[in-house]
Amino acid sequence: MAQRGRQNGQQQPLGPGAPVKKASQQSWRNGYAAGSRFAAAWRRRLYFLTLTKGVFMSQTKMESKAGMQPRHGQVFKPESRGQLCVDGVNAQCPLQSWHVNGLESGKFFPAAVAGLMDPLAPTDTPNAAPPADGKIASAGQAHSAVLDEQSAERWAKHPAKSGQEMEFQWSYHARHLTRRWNYFITKADWNPNQPLSRAQFESEPFYKVEMSAQPYWEHSAELMPPEPTIHMMRMPQRQGYHVVLAVWEVADTGNAFYQVIDFDFS
C-alpha cells in the first residue's frame, strides 16, 4: 500500500498513483477559502467594534462635558432674571438651566476684595473675590454675561407692593454647607439705565437668614440647606422698577451664588 510520512527517521517512498498533488491542491484551496471567510468575518467585526467605540467615545465625551457644567442652586420662585431667560420670557438671552445654577463668585457682597474672614464663623473658609461692579447679575461668569445688560425696559418684572409678604424659594442641583442667605435691594433713587453696581444697592440686606453652627466640619447636618429652601419676607418700601439681589453664601468654600430678580412696585 502506498504510504506517506516518516518511519524510524527515514523518508518513505510514495507509491504509484497516489493522488498527493491533487489532494494537496484541494486542501490548499479549502484552507484558503476558509481563511478568507474567517478574515472577512473579522474585518466586519472590527469595523463594527470601531464604529461602536467611536459612538461610545463621542457620547462619553459629551456626557463628560455635560458633567463638567457647573450646577449648584438658584432662586426659582419668584423666577430670577436668568430663569426667565431659560423659560423664554426674557428675550435675546439664550441661557440654559446650568447657566443659571452656576452663577458663582466670591462671598461677602458688598465686599470687593478676597481673603476676608466670616465675622460670625471665623473658622469658615475665607472668601474669594466677589463679582466686580457691572458683573453682579452674572457673578462675573462669562457664560451668562448677557444678564449684566441693564436698562429700564430690558427685563420682565414681577409685580410687587411695598410691605407685601413674599415667598422666595431656592432649589439646588448641588447643596453645600451653608452659612447664610442675604437679600439686597436697589436704592430708592437708583438709576435703572446704569449697570448694577454696589452704589446702586443698599449696603445692608433687607432680609437675612444665618446658620450659626460651627465649625462647619463638625456640623454638616445642621448646615445642609433644605430642598427647597423657603424664605418668607416683607418687601421694602419702593415704587416702580427695582432689583433684588439674593446671595447664598457657603461655609466650606470661599464662594457664594448670585441671583437677581426684577420687580415692578405699585
Side-chain angles (χ1 to χ4, degrees):
M1 294 181 62
Q3 294 182 345
R4 183 173 184 269
R6 292 180 180 271
Q7 182 177 342
N8 299 326
Q10 301 282 330
Q11 178 70 43
Q12 302 300 313
L14 298 176
V20 174
K21 185 174 181 180
K22 292 183 179 179
S24 177
Q25 289 177 339
Q26 186 63 39
S27 297
W28 182 84
R29 291 192 187 97
N30 291 342
Y32 179 80
S36 297
R37 289 193 297 272
F38 181 78
W42 266 104
R43 282 195 296 270
R44 288 193 298 271
R45 181 179 175 85
L46 287 173
Y47 175 77
F48 174 77
L49 288 173
T50 302
L51 182 63
T52 304
K53 182 178 179 182
V55 172
F56 173 77
M57 289 180 67
S58 177
Q59 181 178 359
T60 302
K61 184 176 181 180
M62 291 175 64
E63 291 175 350
S64 176
K65 183 178 180 180
M68 294 173 63
Q69 294 170 349
R71 294 175 179 267
H72 300 275
Q74 68 171 96
V75 172
F76 70 93
K77 181 181 179 181
E79 295 88 346
S80 67
R81 180 182 292 183
Q83 184 58 47
L84 289 179
C85 288
V86 175
D87 294 341
V89 177
N90 281 330
Q92 298 180 338
C93 53
L95 299 183
Q96 300 177 32
S97 179
W98 73 266
H99 294 119
V100 184
N101 279 270
L103 300 177
E104 182 178 14
S105 188
K107 58 189 178 183
F108 302 160
F109 182 90
V113 298
L116 302 177
M117 307 295 290
D118 194 309
L120 175 67
T123 55
D124 282 4
T125 305
N127 76 322
D133 287 344
K135 297 183 178 180
I136 294 170
S138 69
Q141 298 292 336
H143 57 64
S144 297
V146 65
L147 296 176
D148 294 319
E149 296 178 5
Q150 184 60 51
S151 73
E153 304 299 329
R154 176 63 177 92
W155 305 109
K157 304 168 185 66
H158 297 283
K161 293 182 180 296
S162 296
Q164 174 185 351
E165 289 285 334
M166 186 168 293
E167 182 178 277
F168 284 70
Q169 293 190 19
W170 287 81
S171 179
Y172 309 99
H173 283 276
R175 293 187 298 165
H176 298 287
L177 302 184
T178 299
R179 183 54 62 201
R180 68 180 56 82
W181 295 265
N182 284 328
Y183 294 84
F184 300 87
I185 193 168
T186 45
K187 295 177 179 178
D189 60 349
W190 81 298
N191 185 344
N193 293 307
Q194 293 294 321
L196 292 178
S197 65
R198 286 160 176 78
Q200 295 265 54
F201 284 97
E202 299 286 357
S203 60
E204 295 293 330
F206 70 89
Y207 188 81
K208 175 191 295 189
V209 178
E210 288 188 324
M211 317 277 267
S212 60
Q214 53 186 292
Y216 65 79
W217 56 85
E218 293 181 0
H219 298 277
S220 57
E222 298 97 313
L223 296 178
M224 191 62 67
E227 172 64 61
T229 296
I230 300 174
H231 297 143
M232 183 66 71
M233 65 194 72
R234 188 176 300 278
M235 299 297 282
Q237 294 291 320
R238 289 292 187 272
Q239 185 67 34
Y241 174 35
H242 284 275
V243 177
V244 168
L245 171 63
V247 185
W248 166 37
E249 295 187 355
V250 179
D252 61 340
T253 79
N255 289 339
F257 295 88
Y258 289 73
Q259 300 278 294
V260 297
I261 307 99
D262 298 283
F263 290 97
D264 184 18
F265 285 79
S266 61

